[in-house]
């Protein structure tokens, strides 16, 4: 076991000092807000966010620049590493960015952590490490189809070196397609639910990239954050890798019908060409994560309803 938690100013309460990389991104910001009342949360991201600056101690720099890590505090208990170029499609067009922002940034983070020795590093990997496959468990073969999948797999292995080279523990979560309120609706290349919702709201018709029989397992962002939070204190997750998904198997038709129901509208589907490197089918098994006590709290219908009402609330 690494360091002992410091005592919080409030009598009896224990504060954990947490660094969240990628803390102004979709999942990182949700996680920061979930943890902020219980712990001391710092955020690192290359993309400044005024709201985060007001609420958290923030560090804004590109993690692929090693010397810039000198500005960070040195006494974190838990480091959540979420920062990444997070799109498969973007990685196919800009593989060098993907390599810098995912691989190089993760190597620099590992070196930083070997220096400061937090108790644990929690890393968000991706279903992209598997390529096209059905019912994958954590032991299934990895066969990434995009530069993104390769860089996430490489990052997993960099993170595992922490355990080899020190007593810093890790937990790795292979997130499946994550969706939920506050996801970026303007990015039409990333996030199957956010892309479909974005088109549905704008045009009442949705272009489906690639095959109509593509298959995905999804997970709501709240359920991702609850799993990441559990990793902070649950020693059974130390030095383990988990699939993080809701096992409901979703096709474009199922997702579009659920969106249509939530909106109370008819939505038309338009079929478009796919692209090389697209992950057309991926479903997984979450038994290992469920055995730690985690379970998804929202099914697809509930998750899409949460997402859509949040958009309506923001526009209304
Ligand atoms: N959203 C999903 O469906 C999904 C699925 C699988 C895995 N993941 C993983 O979860 C994590 C978070 O995903 P997200 O959806 O919040 O992505 P996001 O793109 O919304 O957020 C990522 C954040 O990382 C920051 N970042 C990227 N490179 C950086 C660098 N070199 N230095 C500093 N900051 C950097 C970006 O500015 C951004 O704010 C990522 O690691 C992603 O690979 C996400």
């Amino acid at each position: 076991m690494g360091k002992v938690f410091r005592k919080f100013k409030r009598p009896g309460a224990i504060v954990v000092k947490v660094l969240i990389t990628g803390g102004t991104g979709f999942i990182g910001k949700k996680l920061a807000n979930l943890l902020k009342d219980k712990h001391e949360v710092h955020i690192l991201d290359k993309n400044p966010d005024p709201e985060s600056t007001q609420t958290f101690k923030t560090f804004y720099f590109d993690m692929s620049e090693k010397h810039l890590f000198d500005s960070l505090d040195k006494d974190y208990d838990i480091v959540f590493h979420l920062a990444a170029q997070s799109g498969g499609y973007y990685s196919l067009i800009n593989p060098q960015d993907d390599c810098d922002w995912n691989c190089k940034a993760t190597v620099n983070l590992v070196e930083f952590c070997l220096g400061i020795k937090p108790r644990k590093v929690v890393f968000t990997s991706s279903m992209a490490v598997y390529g096209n496959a059905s019912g994958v468990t954590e032991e299934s073969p990895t066969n990434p189809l995009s530069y993104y999948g390769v860089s996430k797999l490489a990052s997993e292995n960099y993170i595992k070196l922490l355990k080899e080279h020190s007593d810093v523990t890790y937990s790795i979560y292979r997130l499946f397609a994550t969706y939920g309120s506050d996801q970026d609706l303007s990015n039409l290349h990333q996030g199957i639910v956010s892309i479909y919702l974005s088109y549905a709201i704008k045009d009442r018709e949705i272009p489906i990239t690639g095959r109509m029989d593509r298959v995905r397992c999804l997970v709501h962002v709240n359920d991702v954050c609850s799993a990441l939070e559990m990793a902070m204190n649950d020693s059974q997750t130390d030095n383990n890798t988990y699939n993080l998904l809701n096992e409901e198997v979703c096709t474009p038709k199922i997702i579009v019908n659920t969106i249509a129901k939530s909106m109370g509208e008819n939505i038309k589907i338009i079929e478009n060409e796919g692209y090389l490197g697209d992950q057309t089918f991926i479903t997984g098994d979450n038994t290992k994560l469920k055995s730690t006590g985690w379970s998804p709290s929202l099914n697809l219908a509930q998750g899409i309803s949460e997402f859509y009402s949040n958009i309506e609330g923001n526009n209304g």
Side-chain angles (χ1 to χ4, degrees):
M1 171 82 67
K3 53 179 63 172
V4 176
F5 295 148
R6 278 173 297 284
K7 290 279 177 202
F8 198 35
K9 286 177 193 115
R10 277 183 278 127
I14 292 179
V15 70
V16 176
K17 186 162 172 178
V18 172
L19 177 68
I20 303 178
T21 78
T24 70
F26 165 47
I27 302 170
K29 200 166 168 177
K30 288 265 180 206
L31 180 65
N33 282 311
L34 175 70
L35 300 182
K36 73 174 191 289
D37 294 333
K38 300 169 239 175
H39 305 295
E40 181 181 348
V41 177
H42 293 191
I43 278 176
L44 160 57
D45 205 295
K46 69 180 171 56
N47 183 28
D49 170 53
E51 206 184 341
S52 301
T53 309
Q54 276 183 4
T55 315
F56 302 99
K57 181 164 179 184
T58 48
F59 301 88
Y60 293 127
F61 64 84
D62 182 342
M63 293 170 67
S64 62
E65 303 277 349
K66 184 169 188 256
H67 66 280
L68 297 177
F69 279 73
D70 292 345
S71 62
L72 292 172
D73 289 9
K74 308 285 181 280
D75 56 350
Y76 295 107
D77 299 303
I78 307 282
V79 175
F80 288 99
H81 180 36
L82 278 67
Q85 182 305 104
S86 56
Y89 182 77
Y90 183 90
S91 81
L92 292 163
I93 301 163
N94 304 281
Q96 286 79 13
D97 282 355
D98 185 82
C99 190
D100 284 349
W101 296 341
N102 293 4
C103 295
K104 204 169 166 190
T106 303
V107 170
N108 289 340
L109 183 85
V110 166
E111 294 259 282
F112 171 71
C113 290
L114 286 173
I116 68 156
K117 295 205 170 17
R119 192 172 61 81
K120 187 166 194 175
V121 176
V122 181
F123 174 59
T124 51
S125 184
S126 169
M127 65 180 185
V129 301
Y130 294 115
N132 287 329
S134 299
V136 289
T137 70
E138 292 76 4
E139 277 67 50
S140 296
T142 51
N143 183 26
L145 301 174
S146 65
Y147 292 101
Y148 171 69
V150 172
S151 67
K152 295 307 283 189
L153 188 57
S155 298
E156 285 190 10
N157 286 316
Y158 295 135
I159 295 284
K160 286 179 182 171
L161 288 182
L162 283 166
K163 185 63 200 142
E164 294 302 317
H165 295 182
S166 71
D167 63 352
V168 177
T169 59
Y170 68 81
S171 295
I172 294 172
Y173 292 87
R174 292 175 172 163
L175 278 53
F176 281 57
T178 305
Y179 71 98
S181 56
D182 302 320
Q183 195 164 13
D184 181 5
L185 291 177
S186 67
N187 184 346
L188 297 177
H189 287 296
Q190 198 179 331
I192 189 164
V193 176
S194 56
I195 295 171
Y196 290 4
L197 251 178
S198 183
Y199 279 113
I201 290 165
K202 199 158 54 76
D203 305 326
R204 304 287 185 268
E205 60 181 36
I206 301 178
I208 306 291
T209 303
R211 296 156 37 164
M212 281 303 289
D213 60 352
R214 59 195 286 134
V215 176
R216 283 266 181 290
C217 283
L218 311 176
V219 59
H220 190 274
V221 65
N222 292 355
D223 291 325
V224 169
C225 290
S226 70
L228 299 179
E229 183 182 20
M230 277 175 73
M232 290 176 66
N233 293 317
D234 184 353
S235 59
Q236 69 180 315
T237 65
D238 288 356
N239 307 319
N240 263 310
T241 299
Y242 298 96
N243 287 337
L244 179 39
L245 68 140
N246 187 328
E247 275 173 315
E248 251 177 312
V249 172
C250 299
T251 59
K253 217 172 202 164
I254 291 173
I255 299 172
V256 172
N257 286 343
T258 313
I259 289 175
K261 217 168 175 184
S262 216
M263 292 176 66
E265 301 271 358
N266 285 325
I267 307 288
K268 202 172 140 198
I269 287 176
I270 300 165
E271 293 181 47
N272 275 354
E273 285 286 299
Y275 58 88
L276 198 69
D278 187 16
Q279 194 175 15
T280 51
F281 66 96
I282 173 73
T283 60
D285 180 305
N286 61 10
T287 309
K288 185 175 174 188
L289 185 54
K290 275 185 168 164
S291 74
T292 68
W294 173 90
S295 64
S297 64
L298 296 169
N299 64 26
L300 184 69
Q302 293 164 325
I304 285 184
S305 163
E306 183 272 350
F307 194 174
Y308 181 62
S309 356
N310 177 267
I311 297 167
E312 286 290 277
N314 289 341
N315 294 338

